[in-house]
Amino acid sequence: MAEYGSEEEAARWVATAATSPHVSGDAVDLGRSQARAWLSRHGAGFGLCQIYENEPWHYELRSEAIDHGCPRMYADPTEDPRTQQ
Ligand SMILES: [Zn+2]
């Protein structure tokens, strides 16, 4: 909230404990690593997709990606319907 100025604005960018897929175990953040490079090439086959263009470290479980590929990325979390209150 200090960074975004208000709880409302912060919620557009950062999921709360109630909405974060990290809390439910459906998301993972990776440091700069070969693992991140590997996931960007092979993650879809395991249902793991980058969700936001501006967060190359954040992957989420998208089991439909195994058959259909990853969905189009959101530019950033403000486009994600899950962060729109
Ligand atoms: Zn994340």
Side-chain angles (χ1 to χ4, degrees):
M1 285 166 31
E3 185 172 345
Y4 293 105
S6 70
E7 186 171 358
E8 186 176 25
E9 183 64 14
R12 297 181 64 219
W13 291 90
V14 183
T16 65
T19 62
S20 173
H22 284 294
V23 176
S24 61
D26 294 326
V28 64
D29 290 339
L30 301 163
R32 292 190 184 282
S33 65
Q34 291 182 323
R36 192 198 284 181
W38 190 92
L39 261 189
S40 79
R41 292 185 56 165
H42 303 291
F46 296 91
L48 292 168
C49 297
Q50 183 182 336
I51 301 301
Y52 308 119
E53 289 175 9
N54 75 329
E55 293 190 5
W57 58 84
H58 177 96
Y59 279 78
E60 292 188 22
L61 189 62
R62 291 287 186 275
S63 52
E64 68 274 16
I66 296 170
D67 292 325
H68 304 291
C70 288
R72 190 183 65 82
M73 287 182 220
Y74 300 115
D76 60 53
T78 66
E79 291 188 352
D80 188 338
R82 297 172 300 175
T83 61
Q84 310 307 308
Q85 306 299 315

